Amino acid sequence: MAEKEISQLPGNVDKTCQEHPDRKQHAGLHNPGGYSDALSVDIGSSDDEVFSMSEVDPVLDAKMRLVNRTMDEIGWTNLHLKLFFLNGFGYAADSLILALQAVTSSQAALEFQPSFSYGLNVAVYTGMLLGVLFWGLGADVIGRRFAFNISLFSSSIFAIVAGASPSWIVLATFVALAAFGAGGNLVLDTTVFLEYLPSNKQWLITLMACWWGLAYVIVAAFCWPIFSNSRYTCSDIATCTKENNMGWRYIWYGNGVLVFICSILRVTIIRLKETPKYLLTKGDDAAVVKTFQYMAQKYNRPCHLSLEELESCGTIQSTYGKSRYSLGEFWAHIRGLFVTRKLAISTLMIWFSWLLIGLAYPLFYVFLPDYLASRGAHTGQAGAYYQWRNYMLSSVAGIFGPVAAGYMCNIKMLGRKYTMAIGALITMAFFFAYTAVRTPAQNVGLSCAISFSLNIYYGTLYAYTPESLPSAHRATGNGLAVAFNRIMGLVSSFVAAYGNTATSVPIYVCAVLYIVMAIVAVSFPFEPYGKRAM
């Protein structure tokens, strides 16, 4: 870090904690990552980062800036490309399990005749909730690498076993266990990817949400031929047996195997090392330098960070509990999300946003079918072919929402905050328009439009959350954010079971929720555009 900046930091940061003398000379000569030339001149002021930790721990702040500059110096590599694809599929596993539960529950219910038909919905959201809490909080304690390698593998095994379930209770149990592993991926994949990215590629976290929509396309590709064939599905409770209703089981088997293959590829192709930022916050400076030097050597990139440079900054004190495996350690990570007033406001607003979208999205789709039917709408053509064709079309449209969001959030005048606001307001408008649907064509068109616009908001929120949280506590904050979302998913299950689905009130409640989401988005205290995540 430049001498002029170290002098501005509070505390006892050694002024020898500064940029390597060769860094400026070499950064301008070799620029494979395409980072700004300005970075080679000045290793940073507080305006270069999303937020500053100098008031809380000036040593951590100084070291994190050095790590960020080193990632920019190394730039984009094939490792990042691998992470985008293989992390992306792990990211998709979350929506894959949710979709599998949604599309197979009715056929499984015909076979098992449960007393509570929304049991699988409760099971999947309960598993997701426990998963994001366990893997999210755990990843800040045991590290990203172990959780990253295990969570997707466990999800795949239970998804395969779910297809062999002999009863509704057993099926719900394995669905919950599959969701437990998948829920952790949603937190870990964005966290791991972000903590390896050079700053000018952070917008790819938003684009990675396209994998969310791709998962629905994969599920539709399995369901369309299977559920369109009467040999694999039954339609009458009285005659429905395992033998004439194997379709939903094949779908669980096939998708479970696909997730299993990807979990093996993640371990064998990436061979992930612990992220440098996690190692830094745990005080292992030597491992940080070793990781960067390995990357630089493997991809023929410059790396001038030295152990002496990091150690000269001092010792980090702000990221530990009294004991690593204790409630105090978990509390330290939660407390770390509120160490400054601005960070505390940001954390609460992020959690509130996840709660709002977790309530608005499922609530709308719980009430909409009966609401439309009560007003004489004919939203679909008869037959499985048309049903799954429409599902495929809306799923494909959902892939392009994050693509648009990735472009929009990288425009200076929009950034992350206004991209989210635009996505929320457009979705609200399409939701209102949907209440006027009366024909199959209108239904398909507006379903695709909503899938597209909603993923603009969702995809940007997925990226904004880890970008705006401190690295030492990122997985904890991210996990708790998604947990609020899953709690609302549970609420929607019971609303669907016991609420009056023909009333128009929930439609307007959802509209108000999207307006609030837009207001919250533009009010976020941090804008990550053009800045480095800490």
Side-chain angles (χ1 to χ4, degrees):
M1 179 173 291
E3 176 111 4
K4 64 179 181 180
E5 291 177 72
I6 291 296
S7 65
Q8 297 170 359
L9 293 175
N12 298 316
V13 181
D14 193 321
K15 290 186 179 182
T16 61
C17 173
Q18 55 187 324
E19 185 180 11
H20 189 285
D22 292 335
R23 191 188 302 271
K24 293 180 182 179
Q25 176 184 351
H26 290 276
L29 297 177
H30 193 83
N31 188 10
Y35 48 85
S36 170
D37 289 339
L39 300 178
S40 65
V41 177
D42 182 357
I43 74 164
S45 67
S46 59
D47 292 336
D48 292 335
E49 266 68 25
V50 175
F51 54 83
S52 173
M53 295 293 289
S54 60
E55 296 178 10
V56 179
D57 189 336
V59 174
L60 171 63
D61 190 76
K63 288 187 175 184
M64 193 63 72
R65 292 177 192 277
L66 289 173
V67 165
N68 278 336
R69 304 320 180 269
T70 303
M71 288 198 294
D72 285 344
E73 183 182 26
I74 292 174
W76 178 265
T77 68
N78 284 338
L79 171 65
H80 300 99
L81 188 62
K82 293 176 184 177
L83 286 172
F84 179 79
F85 282 96
L86 293 177
N87 279 35
F89 194 85
Y91 194 86
D94 178 90
S95 58
L96 189 78
I97 298 299
L98 285 172
L100 286 176
Q101 177 277 138
V103 300
T104 61
S105 60
S106 59
Q107 284 301 130
L110 282 175
E111 182 179 330
F112 296 129
Q113 302 177 38
S115 57
F116 183 59
S117 60
Y118 288 95
L120 291 191
N121 203 52
V122 172
V124 77
Y125 277 106
T126 300
M128 291 285 179
L129 172 62
L130 296 176
V132 296
L133 291 174
F134 178 83
W135 295 111
L137 275 66
D140 280 336
V141 177
I142 64 175
R144 283 55 162 141
R145 181 173 180 268
F146 178 79
F148 177 84
N149 289 336
I150 295 299
S151 57
L152 189 62
F153 175 78
S154 66
S155 179
S156 68
I157 296 301
F158 290 119
I160 294 171
V161 175
S165 299
S167 69
W168 185 255
I169 297 298
V170 173
L171 175 60
T173 301
F174 285 123
V175 166
L177 290 171
F180 177 82
N185 270 274
L186 193 63
V187 175
L188 290 167
D189 289 316
T190 52
T191 297
V192 168
F193 193 39
L194 177 63
E195 293 187 356
Y196 271 106
L197 276 178
S199 61
N200 72 322
K201 294 294 191 294
Q202 282 179 197
W203 63 272
L204 286 171
I205 300 292
T206 300
L207 179 62
M208 199 165 76
C210 68
W211 289 90
W212 174 274
L214 182 61
Y216 284 95
V217 173
I218 292 171
V219 171
F222 276 87
C223 291
W224 195 348
I226 291 177
F227 282 158
S228 297
N229 191 328
S230 59
R231 291 176 54 196
Y232 305 120
T233 59
C234 60
S235 56
D236 184 3
I237 292 179
T239 60
C240 193
T241 64
K242 178 180 178 180
E243 289 70 25
N244 64 9
N245 193 38
M246 288 295 293
W248 69 267
R249 296 178 185 272
Y250 292 149
I251 291 168
W252 275 101
Y253 291 148
N255 283 272
V257 169
L258 187 61
V259 176
F260 175 78
I261 292 172
C262 191
S263 71
I264 299 301
L265 291 176
R266 293 217 310 191
V267 177
T268 55
I269 292 179
I270 297 179
R271 298 182 182 274
L272 184 74
K273 297 181 181 294
E274 193 54 82
T275 68
K277 289 188 176 181
Y278 175 80
L279 294 170
L280 181 73
T281 59
K282 291 305 177 185
D284 196 346
D285 291 351
V288 173
V289 174
K290 185 177 180 181
T291 298
F292 280 133
Q293 289 178 345
Y294 169 80
M295 289 177 63
Q297 181 179 12
K298 182 173 182 179
Y299 298 105
N300 192 28
R301 302 295 169 84
C303 176
H304 296 101
L305 183 69
S306 67
L307 180 59
E308 292 75 18
E309 191 177 8
L310 280 177
E311 289 181 339
S312 69
C313 296
T315 303
I316 295 171
Q317 299 293 336
S318 63
T319 62
Y320 299 96
K322 292 183 179 180
S323 173
R324 185 174 181 182
Y325 301 103
S326 67
L327 290 176
E329 176 74 2
F330 289 114
W331 175 242
H333 288 298
I334 295 174
R335 189 175 62 245
L337 300 168
F338 298 89
V339 289
T340 68
R341 182 174 180 273
K342 197 171 183 180
L343 183 60
I345 292 172
S346 175
T347 298
L348 291 174
M349 291 178 73
I350 288 171
W351 290 352
F352 184 53
S353 296
W354 279 95
L355 185 146
L356 290 174
I357 189 65
L359 177 62
Y361 182 70
L363 185 64
F364 183 84
Y365 280 106
V366 160
F367 281 88
L368 186 65
D370 286 349
Y371 173 83
L372 293 176
S374 69
R375 283 151 178 79
H378 301 283
T379 58
Q381 294 160 288
Y385 173 85
Y386 292 106
Q387 175 189 353
W388 292 108
R389 181 204 64 180
N390 295 348
Y391 188 91
M392 175 69 80
L393 289 172
S394 63
S395 298
V396 170
I399 295 175
F400 294 97
V403 175
Y407 174 78
M408 292 167 63
C409 76
N410 218 27
I411 298 174
K412 185 176 182 179
M413 63 181 293
L414 296 179
R416 275 52 160 177
K417 298 197 297 183
Y418 286 99
T419 298
M420 277 188 280
I422 291 170
L425 292 176
I426 293 176
T427 303
M428 178 207 67
F430 283 139
F431 272 6
F432 265 130
Y434 209 160
T435 62
V437 163
R438 293 295 180 269
T439 68
Q442 292 172 349
N443 176 52
V444 173
L446 280 171
S447 293
C448 291
I450 289 174
S451 182
F452 174 84
S453 62
L454 180 63
N455 279 354
I456 292 177
Y457 177 85
Y458 240 143
T460 312
L461 181 63
Y462 273 124
Y464 182 90
T465 300
E467 280 187 297
S468 302
L469 296 171
S471 181
H473 320 294
R474 180 169 288 133
T476 297
N478 203 358
L480 289 171
V482 181
F484 284 110
N485 183 276
R486 301 316 184 202
I487 289 171
M488 290 300 101
L490 278 171
V491 170
S492 71
S493 301
F494 293 100
V495 170
Y498 303 111
N500 178 6
T501 58
T503 177
S504 62
V505 173
I507 306 295
Y508 295 99
V509 170
C510 287
V512 171
L513 290 176
Y514 277 96
I515 294 173
V516 174
M517 278 183 254
I519 295 172
V520 172
V522 298
S523 304
F524 279 133
F526 301 125
E527 172 51 69
Y529 170 82
K531 299 180 180 181
R532 304 177 183 90
M534 289 295 282

